[in-house]
Amino acid sequence: MSFFSAENISAGYNGKTVLNNISFQVEKNSIIGILGANGSGKTTLLKAICNIINHSGICILDNQNLSKLSARELSQVCSYIPQRSGIDIDISLIDVVCMGFNSRIGIFNQPTKEMHYQAIQALDKVGLRHKAYENYRSLSEGQKQLCIAARTIVSNPKLMVLDEPESALDINHRYKIMSIFKNMAKESDSCAIITLHDPNLALQMCDRLILLKNGEILNIIEPKNDGLEYMENALSKLYGTVSLVYCKDKFNKSHLVILN
Amino acid sequence: MAVWGGFCLGITGFTYQTIFRNPLSSPDIIGVSSGASAGAAAGILFFGSSLAITLSSFFGAFCAVIVALLLASLDNTGRNGSIVLSGIAVHALAQTVLMALKLTADPEKELASIEYWIMGGLNNISIYDMKIPAIFCIISMSILFLLHRQIILLSADSDEAKMLGVDVKKMQLTVLLISTLAVACTISLTGLISFIGLLAPHIARLITKNNRKTTMVLSGLMGSAILSLADILARSVASTELPISIFTSLIGAPFLIYLIIKRRYVL
């Protein structure tokens, strides 16, 4: 059985179906991306997985049914990054990152010294160490995303559910943050389900891609293994006619690029 | 009394503003104070003794909050807004009760004492009266301090807080009940005291520029300081003691205007 599997997930708002019978699996150490037009149900799917919204069907992570877990248990195995964090008070970055430890310390307790140290390390990874004691609200949107990513790093989950964690980042940071998540998946025996803003980034960084349209799975492609023509057809069904080409960068490494 | 009452109002103001993410929140928002007024009015009309007035205003405050929270729980989406909305509904309801009670009151004596109660004052409170409420307040303040981290977590979106391992609904309810207990204990003795719960946390945040435990403590201390100042003024300006809310509002309103102008009008 797969490390994570979603079976027959359906969900909707106010009687309107947004997701229709979605099933897929994610293997340990891998990253699966979700691509789809606006309103295709990407965020809803992530919220259903995290059990934030009502849904039918089940999600199993490492033999645990996610909807049976309490908030505390769920947050110990699964970390969620919303499109925008709702934090809107004056609070230092280090305190934001330490929120990631919440489910591992008693509700009355404070994070330990060791946890503080880990939080600093995580901020270092995303390049915000020098701002650790500054006000979260003084950050740019991109820096906020990096800070929230650091919070996911310290929480050390089995499953990362990430909703466009790179939407506000510049190109350099996009690749950096995705590599961090990728390494986390590889090194700590976890996996990630991620919706991405940028299809090129998705083609390059994800092991598999779910193509979502009107709440249904059109196709699941594997950028590393599938044929160019097959993927081109699949993506064209999603975005209208697109071309896929291989480009070589100046280090002679080949990249898959989508052209409209 | 001023020190302790101000402290409670400051801390609970901080708590409310943080979990509702609304800089204008104070315990009034979920109907505590109007419940307390209605309760006090009932106490003045039907019993008359000062102990009965205290008890009945405490009862009124608590009922108001319980009703508000019950109403809010009817809306199962778990949004913050529903608590605020039902608070406003309860507030309106309690005001109506208060008006009805005032109408039946004897205009010479009872109506006057209802009005005086609503304006608040720290005279006529002996150490003996304070004992039991003080114990409640100390307990609830300590719990709020211990829950400080959770209160901060509640300031994020409820989805986000949930995914950080907070049982949002239960925690919100717990924190609200505890802080309401403290407020009810305080204002049932003092009568309404406006602006402290609103103002003290703003001053504290202006000084510390963050939302850590120190800010919370400072909110309490600021509350104590403002209320003590107002109490001193109330006792010394005129030959008879004036209602304390005149002075808290006198300090509070200009400061609020200052905050608006400075555009630091956020948490």
Side-chain angles (χ1 to χ4, degrees), chain A residues 82-98:
Chain A
Q83 258 171 27
R84 279 180 56 103
S85 166
I87 295 175
D88 196 18
I89 54 174
D90 294 324
I91 181 170
S92 64
L93 270 65
I94 185 100
D95 286 348
V96 172
V97 176
C98 281

Side-chain angles (χ1 to χ4, degrees), chain A residues 32-59:
Chain A
I32 192 162
I34 302 173
L35 286 182
N38 295 336
S40 58
K42 290 173 291 185
T43 297
T44 310
L45 177 55
L46 296 191
K47 286 188 175 172
I49 291 168
C50 295
N51 205 23
I52 295 171
I53 54 168
N54 288 330
H55 61 92
S56 62
I58 52 171
C59 295

Side-chain angles (χ1 to χ4, degrees), chain B residues 179-191:
Chain B
S179 29
T180 308
L181 180 72
V183 175
C185 283
T186 311
I187 62 176
S188 60
L189 278 177
T190 61

Side-chain angles (χ1 to χ4, degrees), chain A residues 212-232:
Chain A
L212 201 63
K213 189 171 189 179
N214 298 330
E216 295 186 29
I217 294 183
L218 278 182
N219 241 320
I220 297 184
I221 59 175
E222 291 184 38
K224 304 256 166 358
N225 303 326
D226 286 341
L228 201 59
E229 203 171 329
Y230 172 74
M231 288 194 284
E232 202 170 75

